[in-house]
Amino acid sequence: FFSLQHTNPSRIDFYRARVVDGLGNIVHERLFAAEATEGAEPQLREPNALGNFTPATAPSEIPPGLRDVEVEPWLHANALQLFLEEVRAERIQELDRVAAHIELSLTELIQRADEEIGRAAAEVEQGAQGAEGRQAQAEARQAELIARRERRRKELEQQRSLTLQGVEKLASA
């Protein structure tokens, strides 16, 4: 490619990176472009940088200095870690809202099941017909809700654990 913005040969490497939560779900995925120029530190470019170039005939050989420049460690330190922290900040806020809702709603449902157990226990003491069955159902429902709340707490904790995965070089220009 020809470029009016460059005086020396450069190489732009395109990478894809994913942020994955502890459950294995892809939370966010982004495309990165890193430019390497011989004798200079790599620079982050917009992924649409190729739109600024004009196609040219392929060179007979790539300048040796460009082949030796390794961009990925620089990209990890200067772009990918920032990407991970940005996604983590957004995700933590979302998960805090979800956790508050889960605690509120499931705690209220557990409280209602507890009240139903109390009413059924009072009916059992009075000898009402079918009260033991209602009490057993209410206790089973309460146990299910408590287990569900604990399961959701564990899932939310796993969803808070974010890692950078799937960093792969897609192409170079």
Side-chain angles (χ1 to χ4, degrees), residues 122-154:
E123 289 177 5
V124 167
E125 287 178 10
Q126 294 173 358
Q129 186 177 6
E132 291 176 0
R134 284 193 300 279
Q135 182 179 5
Q137 286 179 340
E139 289 171 350
R141 175 77 174 140
Q142 183 187 39
E144 176 203 334
L145 290 169
I146 291 170
R148 184 171 154 195
R149 183 175 62 181
E150 288 304 312
R151 185 175 61 249
R152 286 298 290 144
R153 284 176 178 167
K154 288 177 184 175

Side-chain angles (χ1 to χ4, degrees), residues 56-78:
T57 57
S60 58
E61 67 178 57
I62 296 175
L66 285 182
R67 272 183 280 170
D68 299 336
V69 177
E70 187 57 44
V71 188
E72 196 165 341
W74 178 88
L75 187 66
H76 271 280
N78 294 288

Side-chain angles (χ1 to χ4, degrees), residues 13-15 19 39 46 51 60 88 94 101 113 131 138 150 158 165:
D13 295 333
F14 294 89
Y15 290 87
V19 174
E46 289 296 319
S60 58
R88 179 173 283 132
E94 291 173 11
H101 175 73
E150 288 304 312
Q158 287 178 312
Q165 295 181 11

Side-chain angles (χ1 to χ4, degrees), residues 67-107:
R67 272 183 280 170
D68 299 336
V69 177
E70 187 57 44
V71 188
E72 196 165 341
W74 178 88
L75 187 66
H76 271 280
N78 294 288
L80 298 179
Q81 287 303 317
L82 296 174
F83 170 56
L84 177 61
E85 293 308 316
E86 174 188 321
V87 171
R88 179 173 283 132
E90 292 172 5
R91 184 71 169 180
I92 295 300
Q93 288 178 350
E94 291 173 11
L95 291 174
D96 286 344
R97 281 191 299 273
V98 170
H101 175 73
I102 288 172
E103 288 299 321
L104 181 66
S105 61
L106 287 177
T107 301

Side-chain angles (χ1 to χ4, degrees), residues 98-120:
V98 170
H101 175 73
I102 288 172
E103 288 299 321
L104 181 66
S105 61
L106 287 177
T107 301
E108 180 63 28
L109 291 173
I110 291 168
Q111 178 63 32
R112 288 182 186 174
D114 191 41
E115 291 169 1
E116 180 63 30
I117 291 171
R119 284 191 295 273

